[in-house]
């Protein structure tokens, strides 16, 4: 009978495992049992103790344990073991909490946006329909084009057109502008939604004059109407016009097509209306395809329809074709690259955390060899030891996951606050059962991932070797190599994250260094909207803005001020086709488009937009003066590449509009984004435009901090009319900073993950070297006794750490070069292989590694040769 079999009969399995903790405490964890006879004596002592407490227990009978009993025993022993090592347990839990918590937080954001289906029945059949513009890009559609598609497309079950709507509820001192949409009657049918109270729109209400009905969002109904069910059928005054509430949506409805919308009204267009023309492409179209119709089939049919429409109306279209884009793709393609990059980054952090804890477990396993030898001598096989060690690692991971959920709960709040406004489904972000299930599964998988290597490396088949003198050192070299590989992997992953963060930082710096074309410092800005019966006539609108501008200029601290119809980088776009005199095109749709800025005198001076040649718009350019216009440098080069455009004339807004003389050329202004191409731009006196803009944006240059003058400026505007809403009051520097928010969102996350990875990698290097110094105490003592200098011992330990770091950096550089191309869409002005970034990261990692090496190296120089030899 083998020794293991003899011990199995001597002490039953369940009692051996239960008593092992007492044996460990008696001998001391990790104590060096030199001879196997001491182990046998210990086993007999335990057996005699068990005989006293359990006299009826036969010596030769082994009682098999059930799976649940074994699991409970493993968990009890794992808890006792972890409790005896509070330092190790705390460090491992902190590492796992960071890794699992960060991963959970990012998953809770990414899951509803990228992975969950749309919150609409049959959401995979909802498509966005776009016309193709002359550059081959997606473009909005005109109302009559939409009607043709709705009538002719057999692959479409229902379609709807929509436009933005910003009505105002007015009250003295409490005017509120609401975000909403005007839609055709099948809008909610396309989305598969129905009002929870009341009814949907009818076809009869999508007619001019009959469209004064609204459907409220659940949030607006609760906030503004107190959740009163009797609101159905009651009148509500918007922009001075009475509307009737016919429905209230369910609280679960998500307005993905316009996330901030709070109410909906029928579009109410007729083909005879001037803004319902084919060239008036300001509507978005959405459709639900029929069951079984693929995106490709719908796209093929709509392209055929587009060709037929263009053939019938050749002068109203610049090209043929339509785009059919699934709504899920449309909503996420702007943020998908950033979210996937962040998800990959947090995956790296989790891998580093796993490697770090695995390295800690390997180091701890070296100290527990005596324990494992005793367990083996008591009859525990290799699989039994592996199972126990995996139980400990999974238990650690599950506790870390539970703590990580708390961290993730706070993290999600921060991500929502930090996230760009373009992030869809903000209301769905949070910790739900799906996220909790993900975290639970992740915790178990993580525990197995970082626990399997130490478990397999520790549970050697020849456990008796460890009981012989010097036997404990037989597997130490292989475990050192394993720890070294893990730490090198941590360094490699940390370098990749640091390179990603460095590239994003350089990109952000270059983006913010772009000249926007104006001076943002000292500028206050706010939007004012005229609304209601009092402003139904255009002269009253123009009069209000003139009086309000005079009141603002009279505010102490305001140097200059002006109005504009469109604020650069403000998110609102107003673009018209421009015909050039002497270069008329047969098809007006082929004419270049330009951003229209209807401005008051003083606007260009307040923004400090440079005048290149000619003059600016002034007080003499009144409503009855000859029409004039300014153009930017880009338009001058595009329209008159070899001649001076001053004195030339352009026509904007249609063939019935007057020709306007170019009296000045101004610098280019970044109107849409700092990283986007410069479009042609046109500035004209607001009083000379064909209609009065109901909403204007103020630009006021101040002395000192502009944010401090915003309340005084608002009071000046309210002194003219206190009922009008004043919106988006802020400084131009904040507007400018907001344009970089999507990039800053990704950069901040990469930065946080990179710092965590760097700290974990430094901790891994420190742990390996500290363990190495402890394990090589005898060797260091002998070296010191033979005359090794302190400098030589320092060099020995530091060299080991830097070699680990160097090996990891070589792998990391290769990985960073391969992975940086996935960041290309997020970079601006810097390449994925930017040498400056790589060199900076390598130097930073080297410095951090040197610091991590210093403490173990100093400890090595203080080893006493006599004590080192005596302790062996």
């Amino acid at each position: 009978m083998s020794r293991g079999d003899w011990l199995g009969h001597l002490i039953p399995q369940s009692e051996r495992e239960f008593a092992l903790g007492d044996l460990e405490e008696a001998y001391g964890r990790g104590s060096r049992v030199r001879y196997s006879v001491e182990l046998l004596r210990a086993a007999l002592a335990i057996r005699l103790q068990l005989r006293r407490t359990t006299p009826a227990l036969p010596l030769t009978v082994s009682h098999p344990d059930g799976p649940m009993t074994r699991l409970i025993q493993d968990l009890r022993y794992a808890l006792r073991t972890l409790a005896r090592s509070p330092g190790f347990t705390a460090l491992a839990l902190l590492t796992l909490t960071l890794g699992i918590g960060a991963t959970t937080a990012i998953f809770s954001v990414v899951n509803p946006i990228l992975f969950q289906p749309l919150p609409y029945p049959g959401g995979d059949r909802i498509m966005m329909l776009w016309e193709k513009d002359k550059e081959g890009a997606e473009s909005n559609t005109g109302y009559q084009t939409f009607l043709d598609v709705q009538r002719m497309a057999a692959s479409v079950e229902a379609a709807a057109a929509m436009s933005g709507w910003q009505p105002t509820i007015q009250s003295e001192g409490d005017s509120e502008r609401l975000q909403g949409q005007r839609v055709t009657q099948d809008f909610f049918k396309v989305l598969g939604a129905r009002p929870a109270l009341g009814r949907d729109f009818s076809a009869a209400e999508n007619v001019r004059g009959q469209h004064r009905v609204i459907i409220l969002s659940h949030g607006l109904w609760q906030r503004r109407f107190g959740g009163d069910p009797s609101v159905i059928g009651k009148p509500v005054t918007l922009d001075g016009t009475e509307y009737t509430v016919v429905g209230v949506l369910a609280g679960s409805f998500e307005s993905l097509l316009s996330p901030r919308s709070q109410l909906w009204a029928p579009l109410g267009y007729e083909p005879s209306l001037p803004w319902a023309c084919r060239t008036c492409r300001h509507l978005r179209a959405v459709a639900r395809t029929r069951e079984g119709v693929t995106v490709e089939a719908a796209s093929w049919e709509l392209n055929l329809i587009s060709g037929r429409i263009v053939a019938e109306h050749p002068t109203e279209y610049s090209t043929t074709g339509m785009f059919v884009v699934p709504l899920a793709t449309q909503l996420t393609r702007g943020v998908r690259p950033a979210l996937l990059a962040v998800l990959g980054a947090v995956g790296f952090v989790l891998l580093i955390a796993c490697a770090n804890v695995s390295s800690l477990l390997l180091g701890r396993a070296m100290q527990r060899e005596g324990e494992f030898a005793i367990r083996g001598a008591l009859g525990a096989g290799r699989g039994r030891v592996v199972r126990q060690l995996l139980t400990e690692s999974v238990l650690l991971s599950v506790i870390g996951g539970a703590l990580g959920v708390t961290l993730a709960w706070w993290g999600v709040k921060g991500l929502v606050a930090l996230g760009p406004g373009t992030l869809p489904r903000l209301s769905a972000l949070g910790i739900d059962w799906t996220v909790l299930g993900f975290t639970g599964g992740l915790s178990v998988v993580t525990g197995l991932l970082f626990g399997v290597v130490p478990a397999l490396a520790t549970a050697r088949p020849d456990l008796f070797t460890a009981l012989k003198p010097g036997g404990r050192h037989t597997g130490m070299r292989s475990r050192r190599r394993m720890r070294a590989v893990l730490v090198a992997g941590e360094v490699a992953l940390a370098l990749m994250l640091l390179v990603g963060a460095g590239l994003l930082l350089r990109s952000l710096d270059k983006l913010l260094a772009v000249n926007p074309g104006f001076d943002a410092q000292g500028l206050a800005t706010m939007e004012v909207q005229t609304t209601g019966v009092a402003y139904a006539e255009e002269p009253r609108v123009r009069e209000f803005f003139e009086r309000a501008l005079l009141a603002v200029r009279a505010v102490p601290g305001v140097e200059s001020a002006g109005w504009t119809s469109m604020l650069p980088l403000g998110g609102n776009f107003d673009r018209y086709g421009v015909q050039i005199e002497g270069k008329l095109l047969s098809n007006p749709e082929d004419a270049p488009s330009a951003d229209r800025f209807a401005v008051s005198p003083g606007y260009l001076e307040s923004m400090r937009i440079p005048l290149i040649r000619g003059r600016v718009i002034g007080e003499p350019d009144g409503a009855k003066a000859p029409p004039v216009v300014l153009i930017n440098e880009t338009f001058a080069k595009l329209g008159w590449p070899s001649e001076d455009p001053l004195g030339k004339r352009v026509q904007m807004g249609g063939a019935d509009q007057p020709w306007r003389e170019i009296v000045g050329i101004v610098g280019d202004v970044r109107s849409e984004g700092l990283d986007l191409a410069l479009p042609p731009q046109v500035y004209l006196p607001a009083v000379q435009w064909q209609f009065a803009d109901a909403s204007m944006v103020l630009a006021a240059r101040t002395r000192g901090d502009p944010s401090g003058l915003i309340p005084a400026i608002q009071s000046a505007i309210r002194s003219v009319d206190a009922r009008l809403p004043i919106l988006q009051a802020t400084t131009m520097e904040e507007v400018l900073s907001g344009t970089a928010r999507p990039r800053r969102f990704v950069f901040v996350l990469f930065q946080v993950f990179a710092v965590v990875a760097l700290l974990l990698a430094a901790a891994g290097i420190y742990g390996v070297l500290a363990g190495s110094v402890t394990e090589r105490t005898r060797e260091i003592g002998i070296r010191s006794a033979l005359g090794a200098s302190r400098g030589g011992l320092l060099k020995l330990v530091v060299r080991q750490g830097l070699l680990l770091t160097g090996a990891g950096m070589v792998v990391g550089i290769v990985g960073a070069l391969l992975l940086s191309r996935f960041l290309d869409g997020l970079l601006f002005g810097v390449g994925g292989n930017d040498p400056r970034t790589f060199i900076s990261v390598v130097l930073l990692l080297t410095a951090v590694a040197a610091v991590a090496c210093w403490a173990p190296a100093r400890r090595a120089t203080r080893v006493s040769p006599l004590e080192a030899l005596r302790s062996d």
Side-chain angles (χ1 to χ4, degrees):
M1 179 181 297
S2 69
R3 184 174 183 179
D5 292 338
W6 182 81
L7 287 172
H9 285 283
L10 179 64
I11 303 176
Q13 173 73 15
S14 60
E15 295 174 6
R16 291 201 307 269
E17 296 298 327
F18 182 77
L20 187 56
D22 296 331
L23 176 66
E24 181 183 340
E25 290 176 353
Y27 275 81
R29 214 178 91 214
S31 60
R32 300 179 181 179
V33 184
R34 294 179 176 276
Y35 302 100
S36 58
V37 67
E38 295 182 21
L39 175 65
L40 296 176
R41 288 174 181 172
L44 289 172
I46 294 172
R47 184 68 188 103
L48 290 174
Q49 182 181 358
L50 292 173
R51 285 290 294 173
R52 294 191 193 101
T53 58
T54 316
L57 183 69
L59 285 175
T60 58
V61 178
S62 177
H63 298 281
D65 300 324
M68 186 56 65
T69 302
R70 291 197 298 269
L71 177 61
I72 293 173
Q73 290 172 349
D74 289 346
L75 290 173
R76 287 175 57 192
Y77 185 71
L79 285 171
R80 290 174 59 184
T81 303
L82 295 176
R84 290 195 201 104
S85 305
F88 161 82
T89 304
L91 182 58
L93 285 179
L94 176 61
T95 303
L96 290 171
T97 299
L98 288 173
I100 297 176
T103 306
T104 300
I106 296 300
F107 177 79
S108 66
V109 173
V110 172
N111 180 50
I113 298 175
L114 297 186
F115 303 142
Q116 284 185 357
L118 295 177
Y120 304 128
D124 57 330
R125 293 163 51 202
I126 303 176
M127 309 289 163
M128 294 296 297
L129 308 181
W130 304 98
E131 288 191 50
K132 185 183 293 185
D133 65 14
K134 57 191 174 185
E135 284 83 24
E138 294 173 359
S139 171
N140 289 339
T141 187
Y143 184 65
Q144 294 194 52
T145 305
F146 164 75
L147 292 179
D148 288 342
V149 170
Q150 186 182 43
R151 174 174 51 85
M152 299 166 65
S155 60
V156 171
E157 182 179 289
M162 53 193 164
S163 67
W165 183 37
Q166 296 179 324
T168 300
I169 295 181
Q170 287 179 288
S171 59
E172 188 68 30
D174 186 32
S175 297
E176 180 185 5
R177 188 171 78 175
L178 304 174
Q179 295 290 332
Q181 288 182 291
R182 287 194 177 277
V183 299
T184 53
Q185 70 271 13
D186 285 339
F187 177 77
F188 291 108
K189 181 180 178 181
V190 169
L191 299 181
R194 292 184 57 82
L197 291 176
R199 61 173 177 82
D200 201 347
F201 298 132
S202 66
E205 291 167 337
N206 191 41
V207 177
R208 194 71 175 166
Q210 304 295 321
H211 60 297
R212 308 298 188 192
V213 294
I214 56 172
I215 292 176
L216 307 176
S217 70
H218 186 271
L220 180 63
W221 176 57
Q222 291 283 346
R223 180 174 60 84
R224 196 83 193 190
F225 302 96
D228 182 7
S230 65
V231 73
I232 302 297
K234 288 187 176 180
V236 175
T237 301
L238 301 171
D239 291 337
T241 302
E242 191 173 277
Y243 286 75
T244 301
V245 179
V246 297
V248 176
L249 295 172
S252 59
F253 176 77
E254 291 185 49
S255 178
L256 299 184
L257 289 164
S258 180
R260 293 188 293 174
S261 287
Q262 305 170 73
L263 74 171
W264 290 260
L267 186 65
Y269 277 16
E270 293 177 358
S272 59
L273 294 171
W275 53 86
C277 63
R278 295 183 180 276
T279 59
C280 303
R281 298 186 179 94
H282 61 276
L283 299 175
R284 293 188 298 159
V286 62
R288 175 180 288 270
T289 58
R290 297 189 184 279
E291 192 77 44
V293 175
T294 64
V295 177
E296 292 75 16
S299 180
W300 178 81
E301 184 193 26
L302 288 175
N303 276 296
L304 283 180
I305 292 172
S306 173
R308 210 176 306 166
I309 295 172
V310 172
E312 294 174 2
H313 310 277
T315 62
E316 296 178 284
Y317 297 90
S318 58
T319 187
T320 302
M322 295 193 74
F323 295 99
V324 178
V325 183
L327 180 58
T329 302
Q330 186 76 46
L331 294 173
T332 60
R333 62 184 178 184
V335 297
R336 178 179 290 272
L339 291 180
L340 290 179
V342 170
L343 190 62
V346 78
F348 279 10
V349 171
L350 183 61
L351 287 175
I352 293 172
C354 289
N356 204 302
V357 177
S358 187
S359 179
L360 288 173
L361 287 174
L362 274 172
R364 187 164 176 266
M366 297 178 187
Q367 302 172 6
R368 297 176 65 187
E369 284 201 336
E371 171 197 338
F372 298 138
I374 293 173
R375 292 173 68 91
L378 288 174
R382 177 185 177 90
R384 181 67 186 85
V385 175
V386 168
R387 190 182 77 202
Q388 178 62 53
L389 291 176
L390 287 179
T391 301
E392 293 178 18
S393 63
V394 171
L395 179 62
L396 258 180
S397 186
V398 169
I399 297 174
L403 296 174
V405 169
T406 304
L407 178 65
W409 187 77
W410 289 101
V412 170
K413 289 188 173 183
L415 289 172
V416 172
L418 179 66
T422 55
L423 201 64
R425 303 202 66 186
L426 282 174
S427 61
L429 306 187
I431 306 297
D432 56 15
W433 287 109
T434 301
V435 174
L436 291 176
F438 168 81
T439 304
L442 180 67
S443 300
V444 173
V445 172
T446 299
L448 294 174
L449 180 65
F450 70 71
V452 68
V453 172
L456 293 177
T458 301
R460 297 174 303 177
D462 186 13
L463 293 176
F464 288 106
T465 305
L467 300 173
K468 298 177 182 178
R472 184 174 178 268
H473 300 277
T474 55
M476 193 172 293
R477 289 183 180 178
S478 63
R479 293 176 204 173
R480 285 180 190 160
R481 285 194 293 269
M482 288 182 189
R483 294 186 71 188
V485 169
L486 289 172
V487 171
E490 290 181 48
V491 172
L493 292 172
L495 184 140
M496 291 186 221
L497 282 176
L498 286 168
V499 166
L503 291 173
L504 291 170
L505 175 61
R506 292 258 292 146
S507 176
L508 189 61
D509 286 342
K510 285 186 174 292
L511 183 67
L512 294 178
V514 171
N515 180 11
F518 55 85
D519 183 5
Q521 291 185 346
L523 267 179
T525 178
M526 60 196 69
E527 182 182 354
V528 182
Q529 182 174 4
T530 57
T531 183
V533 177
Y535 296 97
E537 298 178 0
E538 292 190 0
R540 295 293 304 275
V541 175
R542 299 190 192 277
E543 179 188 358
F544 165 77
F545 285 115
E546 289 175 4
R547 292 176 57 196
L549 186 57
L550 291 175
V552 170
R553 288 173 176 171
V555 173
V558 174
E559 293 182 350
S560 62
W563 294 107
T564 178
S565 60
M566 184 171 70
L567 185 71
L569 305 175
N572 51 336
F573 311 112
D574 191 14
R575 188 165 293 172
Y576 287 83
V578 181
Q579 288 275 30
I580 299 174
E581 190 175 34
K583 302 179 181 180
L584 292 178
L585 300 172
S586 58
N587 185 354
E589 287 300 301
D590 293 331
S593 296
D595 290 343
R596 178 196 72 109
F597 293 85
V599 302
S600 71
Y603 169 75
L604 293 168
E605 295 87 340
S606 298
M607 294 289 289
R608 292 182 181 170
I609 297 173
L611 177 66
I612 307 303
R613 292 200 304 280
R615 67 174 180 87
V616 297
I617 293 170
E619 297 294 344
D621 299 312
K624 297 181 180 180
V628 296
V629 72
L630 307 179
I631 62 173
N632 66 334
E633 287 185 286
T634 295
F635 195 10
K637 295 174 182 176
L638 176 68
W640 301 266
S642 58
E643 52 186 321
D644 187 358
L646 289 180
K648 301 294 193 296
R649 298 200 308 171
V650 296
Q651 187 183 56
M652 189 176 193
D656 58 338
Q657 295 304 304
W659 288 92
R660 305 173 188 273
E661 181 184 355
I662 300 173
V663 297
I665 301 173
V666 297
D668 292 326
V669 170
R670 301 280 177 173
S671 57
E672 297 180 34
L674 295 175
D675 55 344
L676 299 178
L678 288 163
Q681 295 164 343
V682 169
Y683 298 83
L684 48 87
V687 294
Q688 292 185 354
W689 187 242
Q690 55 184 307
F691 57 81
D693 289 275
S695 178
M696 298 285 279
V697 183
L698 177 73
R701 183 158 298 279
T702 66
R703 290 185 291 272
D705 181 14
S707 60
L709 278 179
I710 286 178
I713 295 173
Q714 290 176 314
S715 296
I717 295 173
R718 290 195 176 103
S719 69
V720 180
D721 191 336
R723 299 170 301 170
L724 298 182
I726 301 176
L727 312 162
Q728 301 174 19
T730 184
T731 66
M732 200 64 202
E733 287 182 294
E734 291 175 344
V735 174
L736 187 61
S737 177
T739 62
R741 194 173 180 182
R743 296 179 188 274
R744 187 177 284 110
F745 171 70
V746 180
F747 162 67
V748 169
L749 292 179
F750 258 84
Q751 186 182 42
V752 170
F753 297 152
V755 170
V756 172
L758 183 63
L759 293 176
L760 290 177
I765 295 170
Y766 171 83
V768 167
L769 294 183
S772 177
V773 169
T774 301
E775 295 154 9
R776 299 172 68 182
T777 299
R778 184 172 184 273
E779 174 194 341
I780 293 172
I782 293 174
R783 286 176 179 268
S784 181
L786 293 177
S789 65
R790 289 189 62 188
L793 293 176
L794 278 171
K795 184 178 178 181
L796 175 70
V797 178
V798 172
R799 181 175 59 189
Q800 180 185 358
L802 293 182
L803 284 174
L804 277 177
T805 305
M809 286 196 294
V810 170
V811 177
I813 289 172
V814 175
L817 288 171
L818 293 174
L819 295 177
S820 60
R821 58 184 177 179
F822 292 103
L823 294 175
D824 281 347
L826 303 173
L827 300 181
F828 174 79
V830 62
N833 57 351
D834 178 52
R836 179 176 168 182
T837 301
F838 277 79
I839 293 172
S840 299
V841 168
V842 168
L843 292 176
L844 175 63
L845 261 178
T846 303
V848 171
V851 172
C853 295
W854 179 251
R858 276 180 59 86
R859 195 173 66 178
T861 63
R862 296 178 179 179
V863 172
S864 168
L866 185 61
E867 292 181 4
L869 294 174
R870 184 183 300 165
S871 64
D872 184 55

